[in-house]
Amino acid sequence: MRFDDLIDRFLLTLGNPEASVNLGWSLVGYLFVLGFFIYIAFALMVVRQVHLMTHTFKTGIDGGLKVAAYVHLVVAILVALFALFIV
Amino acid sequence: MPEVYSSSTPTSSPRARRSAAHPSASKKHVHPSASEAVEAVNHRHVDEYSETMRGEECATNSFAAFLPKPVFADFESLAPNEHIVLALRRHPITNVPWIVVAILLMLGPVVLQFVPFLPLFPARLQLLAILGWYLIVAGYVIESFLAWFFNINVITDERIIDIDFENLIYKRVSSAKIDNIEDVTSSTGGFIRSLLSFGNVLIQTAGEKNEFEFRDVPQPEKVIKVINEMILEEEREQQEGRVQ
């Protein structure tokens, strides 16, 4: 498909109110997905920091903290995949 | 003349170190090696010279804010003959503001159900918004908890160590030798602080970082007393030629 055809189809979508609304919601959905993937980066940082800090100062519950950080990361990944699936 | 034992027990293992630091906490008898026997002569246990610490039980609760002679704790840069005397966190009451905020944030989606324009959003986006909201709340709770849990001030029998874990991307560990301490001040102001006995301890040193602040720590008077006892012991070690 040529680039001109893509532009034409996009303009046609804009001319159709229902299709425009759907396109808008899809864009919002993809923004959510992007946000969830950014959150995965945050969850990875939490795992890294917990490793660093438990290495710096051993507190007696290091294992529990690491498990909690990994559970948080897994939940973040599952939510991001779920979002990608339903958008 | 000290009795010298022969043993194959490694002297620098955390177990051996803990046993030396807290003899009452370990039931097993560890035969000291020659270096340990010499250390025992040169280096007195904190209970021997600190009246304050003698009355304190070894801390076993990892979540406590006042941790005297913690059995479980170990520090990355702890020297083989160095023992943790006291570890401090901010008083648990300082966690109340973020816990209240987290509870209010958790109620957010329930409140939003009464907002009239919400049903205009497609169901799948509503679900994603709620999931995203709870993830953000979880992130806030985790970061706030870690900031409290790993913001630790440690007093060993050789140094004071300040671990600042402000947020996930900022960590600072600074330390100063006990004999570099010049001035120790505590401040307890306000109704809650006076009632629950917590406050700030300001330690001025002659080192590169010349000011250490232990913020909102429990029993600041006791902390000052312990530090003063450590300073006296350091001076005594120098006078008696027991300096390591």
Side-chain angles (χ1 to χ4, degrees), chain A residues 39 42 49 53 56 58-59, chain B residues 62 72 74 76 135 168:
Chain A
Y39 193 88
F42 166 75
Q49 276 297 336
M53 293 309 292
T56 304
K58 290 180 176 55
T59 56
Chain B
S62 302
F72 48 82
D74 204 356
E76 181 187 25
L135 269 187
L168 284 173

Side-chain angles (χ1 to χ4, degrees), chain A residues 50-66:
Chain A
V50 167
H51 270 277
L52 270 177
M53 293 309 292
T54 50
H55 182 69
T56 304
F57 188 78
K58 290 180 176 55
T59 56
I61 54 158
D62 304 343
L65 286 175
K66 283 177 190 168

Side-chain angles (χ1 to χ4, degrees), chain B residues 132-163:
Chain B
W133 182 270
Y134 281 121
L135 269 187
I136 289 169
V137 176
Y140 174 69
V141 168
I142 288 169
E143 206 202 312
S144 304
F145 172 76
L146 291 179
W148 173 76
F149 191 77
F150 285 119
N151 229 319
I152 302 175
N153 310 115
V154 184
I155 301 170
T156 74
D157 46 9
E158 295 294 331
R159 292 180 294 164
I160 51 166
I161 302 157
D162 185 13
I163 305 171

Side-chain angles (χ1 to χ4, degrees), chain B residues 61-216:
Chain B
N61 179 6
S62 302
F63 293 99
F66 189 84
L67 300 155
K69 300 172 276 182
V71 181
F72 48 82
D74 204 356
F75 192 68
E76 181 187 25
S77 63
L78 216 58
N81 297 333
E82 191 177 10
H83 309 124
I84 296 175
V85 172
L86 184 63
L88 300 156
R89 286 194 185 97
R90 291 200 306 268
H91 194 283
I93 197 82
T94 58
N95 289 324
V96 168
W98 70 258
I99 290 173
V100 170
V101 169
I103 291 169
L104 290 176
L105 288 175
M106 272 188 240
L107 296 175
V110 181
V111 176
L112 276 178
Q113 280 183 349
F114 300 103
V115 177
F117 65 81
L118 200 67
L120 296 175
F121 287 80
R124 65 179 199 281
L125 287 187
Q126 284 186 36
L127 179 63
L128 286 186
I130 290 169
L131 281 173
W133 182 270
Y134 281 121
L135 269 187
I136 289 169
V137 176
Y140 174 69
V141 168
I142 288 169
E143 206 202 312
S144 304
F145 172 76
L146 291 179
W148 173 76
F149 191 77
F150 285 119
N151 229 319
I152 302 175
N153 310 115
V154 184
I155 301 170
T156 74
D157 46 9
E158 295 294 331
R159 292 180 294 164
I160 51 166
I161 302 157
D162 185 13
I163 305 171
D164 283 327
F165 181 81
E166 295 296 332
N167 53 49
L168 284 173
I169 52 171
Y170 180 77
K171 178 188 96 167
R172 188 181 61 179
V173 181
S174 37
S175 70
K177 291 191 81 174
I178 295 281
D179 39 15
N180 281 344
I181 295 175
E182 290 182 338
D183 188 41
V184 191
T185 320
S186 79
S187 61
T188 309
F191 175 71
I192 299 285
R193 285 169 173 235
S194 302
L195 189 72
L196 299 173
S197 180
F198 70 95
N200 299 340
V201 175
L202 190 71
I203 302 162
Q204 287 179 316
T205 65
E208 195 173 318
K209 186 192 173 186
N210 54 15
E211 210 169 81
F212 287 75
E213 192 179 21
F214 294 181
R215 286 178 60 201
D216 298 329

